[in-house]
């Protein structure tokens, strides 16, 4: 673990083996099993580093963050290879874009470090009234395993640019890239400004959430754990943001599929929105596919053909489209949902690659499954599966589609497919999700607002406005002049 600029084991001397997701017989490394006393050390190091870091002129923080960005960029291929080994995400389709996103986020927030600023009020000649955006103090960033570098990038550079110090808690299933990122950042940042700890959520994760020296908890993970983290942080009135799960709707109107060329472009983009290329292990996966009855068969057939052609295999192989599931527990969970979906009355299978697991691979691999003629009431349509499973449901008019899209306790992302501007915007505005994309399915743009409605979370830390809200507190100063 990196604490106060030094690489340290856990105080108790315990370790956790890190196994490669794509090759289960390969133990990549072991990392410390941190507990309360390690959380305490890391928080103390971050607190000690805070006064000097917050007092730096923003230009100094900017310079350092941009140096980190350059060094991360130089190491991008190494980080990508490590991501593929650690998480099982395929190198070409996922791991490289993830490390590039990390670099971009350090550049973006380094570049705008001077924008964490307040306003002056028009208070009359006898008054100078202004606000300051001051850092919160120590931010604990708790990370999931599905795309660790990208999510570390959502938190770390913004928190640091605003003048906070950070303790990151890497996910126990995929901690290695986060440690590597810290090693690179640690070449430039003063000791204690960025600390990284490892261990289990219920041990060192919980200790950070409970620690009185942590001013803000920025959590990304599942909704059930997020709920618990929120109540524990709320109990001591710590600042909090939550990026949680999703069950995002994707709504295809007939105008998006009026001729064969359109259907081809539509389905390529739609495939991106399913996040099958990350084995569906994405909180923004468009996992409920509502298709208008007039184009249902042709769109579904085309999506199924493209999804069925994806190559599932070794994450390190350049030709692989879809890598490995993170662990046995997640694999069993996905298989359980597939069995449940197959048992539903009236279900049809537009695509079933669930049994076509590539031979000779030593990991948990799962081809895509698309259920057809689904119901929005089925478990597979209500619960986050976090696997390559899509439920297609026909609809007959926009009201019905939007009603079903909004009939979910989640509200993270949504996708609308239409070539009618009014129809597309009407749907985009009525869908209850924090992020709606029209006619595209790719990933986040640096600096955009990103976060959930309903049980998908609280906070928008990837945008400048959201980062100002999330990583600073506002102070009002009123001065009598003359
Ligand atoms: P998880 O909730 O099991 O764990 C997330 C992190 O929390 C891990 O580091 C874990 O060790 C830690 N943790 C567990 N218990 C804790 C506790 N009591 N106190 C503090 N920390 C604790 O989630 P996961 O399985 O790692 O990730 C998958 C989930 O993350 C999915 O639900 C997915 O939708 C969600 N996710 C959301 C976003 C988003 O931006 N909204 C992004 C990625 C993943």
């Amino acid at each position: 673990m990196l604490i106060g600029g030094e690489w340290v084991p856990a105080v108790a001397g315990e370790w956790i083996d890190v196994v490669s997701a794509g090759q289960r017989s390969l133990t990549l490394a072991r990392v410390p099993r941190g507990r309360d006393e390690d959380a305490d050390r890391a928080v103390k190091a971050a607190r000690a580093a805070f006064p000097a870091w917050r007092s730096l002129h923003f230009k100094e923080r900017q310079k350092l963050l941009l140096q980190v960005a350059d060094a991360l960029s130089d190491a991008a291929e190494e980080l990508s290879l490590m991501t593929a080994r650690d998480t099982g995400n395929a190198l070409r389709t996922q791991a490289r874009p993830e490390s590039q996103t990390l670099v971009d986020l350090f550049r973006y927030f380094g570049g705008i470090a001077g924008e964490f600023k307040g306003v002056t009020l028009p208070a009359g000649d006898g008054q100078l009234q202004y606000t300051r955006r001051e850092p919160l103090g120590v931010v604990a960033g708790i990370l999931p395993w599905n795309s660790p570098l990208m999510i570390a990038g959502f938190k770390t550079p913004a928190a640091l640019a605003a003048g906070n110090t950070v303790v990151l808690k890497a996910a126990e299933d995929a901690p290695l890239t986060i440690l590597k990122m810290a090693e690179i950042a640690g070449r430039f940042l003063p000791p204690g400004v960025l600390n990284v700890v490892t261990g289990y959520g219920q041990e060192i994760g919980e200790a950070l959430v409970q620690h009185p020296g942590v001013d803000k908890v920025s959590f990304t993970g599942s909704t059930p754990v997020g709920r618990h983290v929120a109540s524990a942080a709320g109990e001591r009135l710590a600042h909090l943001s939550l990026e949680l799960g999703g069950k995002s709707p994707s709504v295809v109107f007939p105008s998006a599929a009026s001729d064969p060329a359109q259907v081809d472009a539509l389905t390529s983009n739609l495939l991106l929105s399913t996040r099958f290329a990350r084995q569906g292990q994405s909180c923004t996966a468009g996992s409920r596919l509502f298709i208008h009855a007039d184009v249902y068969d042709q769109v579904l057939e085309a999506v199924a053909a493209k999804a069925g052609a994806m190559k599932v295999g070794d994450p390190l192989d350049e030709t692989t489209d879809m890598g490995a599931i993170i662990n046995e527990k997640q694999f069993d969970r996905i298989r359980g949902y597939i069995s449940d979906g197959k048992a539903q009355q009236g279900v049809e299978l537009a695509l079933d690659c669930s049994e076509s697991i590539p031979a000779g691979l030593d990991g948990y691999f799962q081809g895509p499954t698309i259920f057809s003629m689904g119901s929005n009431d089925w478990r597979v349509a209500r619960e986050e599966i976090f696997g390559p499973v899509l439920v297609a449901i026909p609809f007959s008019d926009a009201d019905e589609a939007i009603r079903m899209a909004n009939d979910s306790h989640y509200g993270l992302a949504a996708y609308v497919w239409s070539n009618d501007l009014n129809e597309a915007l009407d749907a985009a505005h009525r869908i209850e999700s924090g992020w709606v994309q029209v006619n595209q399915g790719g990933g986040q743009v640096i600096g955009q607002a990103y976060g959930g409605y309903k049980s998908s979370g609280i906070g928008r830390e990837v945008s400048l406005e959201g980062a100002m809200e999330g990583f600073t507190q506002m102070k009002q100063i009123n001065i009598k002049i003359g």
Side-chain angles (χ1 to χ4, degrees):
M1 300 185 286
L2 182 67
I3 297 182
E6 287 180 15
W7 290 98
V8 294
V11 171
E14 298 168 289
W15 299 88
I16 301 171
D17 282 344
V18 181
V19 174
S20 174
Q23 199 183 339
R24 303 306 298 177
S25 54
L26 177 66
T27 299
L28 292 167
R30 56 177 200 164
V31 294
R33 178 175 177 174
R35 292 178 182 268
D36 293 21
E37 54 274 27
D38 302 290
D40 188 52
R41 272 195 306 172
V43 173
K44 284 189 173 133
R47 286 227 80 80
F50 176 58
W53 181 248
R54 72 170 293 173
S55 302
L56 280 185
H57 194 287
F58 82 80
K59 287 192 295 182
E60 292 302 312
R61 288 200 295 270
Q62 180 171 65
K63 192 171 79 188
L64 294 170
L65 291 172
L66 292 175
Q67 285 171 346
V68 173
D70 287 345
L72 289 170
S73 180
D74 291 346
E77 186 62 9
E78 191 185 352
L79 287 164
S80 306
L81 288 164
M82 205 180 246
T83 297
R85 291 196 175 94
D86 206 13
T87 65
N89 293 349
L91 183 61
R92 176 178 53 82
T93 57
Q94 287 301 308
R96 286 200 187 105
E98 285 170 33
S99 32
Q100 187 56 47
T101 303
L102 175 75
V103 172
D104 292 346
L105 284 159
F106 265 89
R107 286 227 166 94
Y108 178 74
F109 282 108
I112 59 173
E115 294 300 314
F116 290 85
K117 63 193 182 192
V119 295
T120 311
L121 280 79
D125 288 344
Q127 281 280 315
L128 171 60
Q129 297 195 355
Y130 65 98
T131 61
R132 285 163 59 86
R133 286 282 185 175
E134 298 189 344
L136 299 171
V138 174
V139 173
I142 299 182
L143 305 176
W145 46 259
N146 63 331
S147 50
L149 283 180
M150 192 167 79
I151 291 161
F154 288 172
K155 305 180 189 303
T156 315
L160 294 177
N164 302 282
T165 53
V166 172
V167 179
L168 285 182
K169 189 267 184 224
E172 48 269 44
D173 282 302
L176 299 184
T177 56
I178 301 304
L179 291 165
K180 184 71 196 168
M181 179 194 85
E183 189 256 304
I184 293 167
R187 293 180 210 151
F188 305 94
L189 302 176
V193 166
L194 174 61
N195 307 275
V196 172
V197 296
T198 53
Y200 293 113
Q202 284 161 356
E203 295 174 357
I204 193 159
E206 184 75 33
L208 284 173
V209 173
Q210 304 275 1
H211 200 294
V214 169
D215 300 286
K216 152 110 192 210
V217 178
S218 175
F219 174 86
T220 301
S222 61
T223 295
V225 176
R227 218 170 248 135
H228 165 74
V229 165
S231 80
E235 181 61 34
R236 59 181 189 84
L237 301 179
H239 295 263
L240 176 74
S241 61
L242 301 165
E243 301 278 10
L244 305 176
K247 192 73 194 176
S248 298
S250 197
V251 181
V252 182
F253 289 101
S255 66
S258 46
D259 65 59
Q262 252 192 337
V263 171
D264 191 52
L266 163 74
T267 48
S268 298
N269 282 311
L270 220 153
L271 203 60
L272 290 176
S273 72
T274 63
R275 305 285 188 265
F276 281 175
R278 207 195 292 149
Q279 303 79 259
Q281 297 175 148
S282 163
C283 48
T284 56
S287 51
R288 291 182 297 148
L289 178 58
F290 300 104
I291 309 175
H292 193 280
D294 290 354
V295 293
Y296 187 85
D297 290 339
Q298 80 225 54
V299 170
L300 193 55
E301 200 180 302
V303 173
K306 282 214 164 104
M310 291 178 84
K311 184 180 168 200
V312 180
D314 178 357
L316 290 160
D317 184 335
E318 295 282 351
T319 64
T320 293
D321 298 308
M322 249 175 105
I325 304 295
I326 188 76
N327 58 28
E328 186 176 14
K329 186 171 157 225
Q330 184 63 16
F331 180 76
D332 289 345
R333 209 167 157 255
I334 297 166
R335 309 273 301 172
Y337 277 110
I338 293 172
S339 303
D340 185 81
K342 285 182 176 173
Q344 296 307 311
Q345 209 174 7
V347 70
E348 292 178 14
L349 277 159
L351 179 69
D352 182 6
C353 299
S354 59
E355 301 305 326
S356 51
I357 293 157
L361 286 172
D362 166 28
Y364 300 102
F365 291 85
Q366 182 67 66
T369 299
I370 304 180
F371 293 115
S372 172
M373 301 312 286
S375 160
N376 204 36
D377 297 330
W378 292 351
R379 264 186 73 218
V380 285
R382 300 206 73 76
E383 297 176 16
E384 183 181 50
I385 299 173
F386 231 53
V389 182
L390 184 61
V391 186
I393 302 172
F395 69 89
S396 53
D397 64 38
D399 287 345
E400 185 191 15
I402 307 262
R403 184 181 50 71
M404 289 194 288
N406 288 341
D407 181 15
S408 168
H409 65 283
Y410 289 116
L412 187 58
Y415 305 85
V416 175
W417 311 90
S418 165
N419 277 342
D420 174 330
L421 188 62
N422 290 336
E423 179 179 67
L425 293 185
D426 177 61
H429 293 179
R430 286 164 69 198
I431 288 175
E432 295 161 358
S433 294
W435 178 30
V436 183
Q437 299 204 68
V438 177
N439 295 336
Q440 61 177 25
Q444 285 96 335
V445 176
I446 304 305
Q448 74 164 71
Y450 171 62
Y453 278 21
K454 302 195 257 186
S455 299
S456 288
I458 299 169
R460 301 286 184 273
E461 289 165 354
V462 189
S463 65
L464 172 59
E465 310 80 57
M468 299 243 281
E469 284 304 311
F471 292 123
T472 68
Q473 48 199 341
M474 207 188 296
K475 180 182 279 176
Q476 171 77 35
I477 313 246
N478 295 7
I479 306 168
K480 183 173 182 306
I481 302 174

